[in-house]
Amino acid sequence: MTSANHQNTKRNPVAYDRREAAIERFSVQEDLRSLVVPVFDTAPTDRFAEVTIKSVESVLGHHLTPQDTVVACSTPEVAALYEALGFTIALVEADPAAATTPERPWDVLLRLAGGDPGWREQAHPATLDVYDRYRLEEQISLVVNDPVVGDEGGLTATRDYRTYAEAFEASAARKWDLVKRHVRPGRIVDVGCGAGAVLGLADREPALRESDLIGVEVARHLYEECVHRKAQGWFANPNVYFYCRNVLGGAVFPPRSIDTTLTFALTHEIWSYGHRMDSLRAFAQAIYDHTVPGGVWINSDVCGPDNRERRVRLSLQGAPAPAGPIDSLDRAAIAAHVESLSTRARLDRFAADFHFPVPYKDLDDPADPGAVEIALSDAMEFLTHKDYPDNWLSEAHEQFCGLEFADWKALLTDIGFEVDPASHSWRNDWIVEHRISPYAQLSTLDGRELAWPDTHVLLVARRPLNT
């Protein structure tokens, strides 16, 4: 069974164990003898057939040969790989000699996801039984119709999840120290938990040893790392659970069931990949709904500066440079290209690639050739994005400065939360010192120097006890 580890992806939304159960039930009902072998996904390779054969041998101890095996495959490119090794191919749905051409499994799955009950007429009773018992029809519809998550179970195809996992690990202690005094024991959920690093720190808190620790992660790669860590004994608390879910797809938990919700560097992704304020409001409402009276939502993320639309002068090192298309380059080539640009030329590159408008105009100052007039929020948008060449096109999807602190307080209050006085915006001085100040200067349009504004926000929002 190929792509056995691809549950919750659009091309394979059903987990391996459920697929195996359907095959085994089918075999019993049809009086067949089946042996099911998981073949985990591999990078694209012309040796895929060989990889599969070796996977079968490692599990069953039997080497498949053209003398004892026929390959049933309706994908011509894959069939050709086995044919080159001498195997006979049964073309099944793709057989040109068939009297009629039946729907392929993928076509039937799309009918299911589209709400067409006729898919059930094409499925074997064994499949229907497993799908009905485990509510797989609902799960498949959610995954296939997800407007945000890509075919491989992530937000963008250009994201390097290894880099992201490493960044999560490096910052986990700082994040936990920032929020732990606000955490209410009970059922604690980390939405967008990454590889589970913050929950790992919560797991070590004596005051939380009786709490349930729950991680929700949309990216399949990171979710699988969470599950692996739990299996390896990384958590001492037995009540640790993980869900691979997209929170934009609807409620994950029942009403009034969660004591603490944690979100780190998540809400700007909801804003960016969804429908901005509409999606963010829906997400905040879902958290309010699943929070117990007296419970808390703790949100730490980037944010826009106060007075976002103020026009400012941004002076950058270097000179402008035309930004040609880079979509055809691989990630390494894009990173090398971005690294080669001056800060001013990188602004041109950013404006061309960013999924949100970044209007600015050159000030044509011979003494300051890299100076532009720009909105304060757009200036900070660029300056906080410019140092991600390894994930350049992925980061170009994400708007950091969509809301300022006042916008957040208004949104949370409107939904019904009480905003704790501990909530505040703040400036990451390390970023300013190491990534911004050496390469840029900020001033008013008439040349008066401005201090760098706040870059992040901590929000502690409580559901009132009487609601």
Side-chain angles (χ1 to χ4, degrees), residues 2 23 52 65 107 137 141 202 267 290 313 316 345 353 371-372 403:
T2 56
I23 292 173
T52 303
T65 70
D107 298 321
E137 187 172 357
S141 295
T267 49
H290 79 213
R313 178 189 184 104
L316 303 172
D353 299 328
V372 298
L403 296 180

Side-chain angles (χ1 to χ4, degrees), residues 104-343:
R104 299 189 185 206
W106 178 251
D107 298 321
V108 178
L109 182 139
L110 289 180
R111 289 178 63 182
L112 181 161
D116 179 0
W119 77 270
R120 302 179 71 89
E121 299 172 5
Q122 302 295 325
H124 191 275
T127 297
L128 297 176
D129 175 59
V130 172
Y131 275 40
D132 289 345
R133 280 190 288 136
Y134 292 102
R135 299 173 61 185
L136 297 180
E137 187 172 357
E138 177 183 341
Q139 177 189 335
I140 291 170
S141 295
L142 285 173
V143 172
V144 173
N145 295 317
D146 195 307
V148 175
V149 179
D151 290 350
E152 303 304 319
L155 291 174
T156 70
T158 55
R159 176 168 287 187
D160 179 355
Y161 284 99
R162 176 187 57 80
T163 301
Y164 273 72
E166 291 172 353
F168 291 153
E169 297 296 313
S171 63
R174 174 179 56 79
K175 292 175 179 176
W176 181 243
D177 287 342
L178 181 68
V179 306
K180 63 182 180 182
R181 68 187 180 93
H182 304 294
V183 171
R184 168 175 164 151
R187 300 192 78 208
I188 300 169
V189 175
D190 184 358
V191 181
C193 65
V198 171
L199 286 180
L201 295 171
D203 177 64
R204 300 171 196 170
E205 292 286 338
L208 303 179
R209 65 179 181 272
E210 299 297 327
S211 295
D212 291 352
L213 304 179
I214 306 166
V216 180
E217 177 53 54
V218 64
R220 178 179 56 85
H221 311 71
L222 300 177
Y223 163 76
E224 289 175 352
E225 180 59 24
C226 292
V227 174
H228 175 256
R229 284 180 162 179
K230 181 179 178 181
Q232 295 298 310
W234 209 61
F235 299 93
N237 187 336
N239 296 310
V240 177
Y241 310 95
F242 293 101
Y243 296 86
C244 189
R245 296 286 190 276
N246 173 19
V247 293
L248 295 183
V252 177
F253 301 101
R256 302 185 178 203
S257 65
I258 302 299
D259 294 277
T260 298
T261 301
L262 303 171
T263 53
F264 299 98
L266 173 72
T267 49
H268 77 274
E269 293 191 340
I270 292 172
W271 169 279
S272 301
Y273 292 100
H275 301 287
R276 303 201 192 185
M277 183 59 84
D278 288 345
S279 294
L280 195 57
R281 173 176 286 277
F283 175 70
Q285 184 67 57
I287 291 183
Y288 181 87
D289 292 342
H290 79 213
T291 301
V292 302
V296 61
W297 174 22
I298 307 168
N299 178 33
S300 174
D301 206 348
V302 291
C303 78
D306 292 343
N307 197 6
R308 297 173 57 251
E309 300 306 319
R310 179 183 184 182
R311 305 299 294 180
V312 296
R313 178 189 184 104
L314 181 65
S315 299
L316 303 172
Q317 292 182 356
I326 59 173
D327 291 347
S328 62
L329 302 179
D330 63 23
R331 186 186 294 126
I334 292 172
H337 170 67
V338 173
E339 288 276 19
S340 72
L341 299 174
S342 70
T343 308

Side-chain angles (χ1 to χ4, degrees), residues 361-414:
K361 67 177 182 178
D362 288 299
L363 292 177
D364 297 322
D365 184 349
D368 189 4
V372 298
E373 178 185 331
I374 190 170
L376 179 59
S377 62
D378 290 334
M380 296 308 296
E381 201 76 66
F382 165 64
L383 292 170
T384 52
H385 275 84
K386 71 179 180 62
D387 292 291
Y388 294 102
D390 289 343
N391 282 292
W392 183 257
L393 292 184
S394 176
E395 290 291 339
H397 288 79
E398 300 185 11
Q399 188 173 31
F400 294 170
C401 301
L403 296 180
E404 57 187 83
F405 183 48
D407 299 326
W408 268 112
K409 290 193 294 184
L411 171 62
L412 294 174
T413 302
D414 189 48

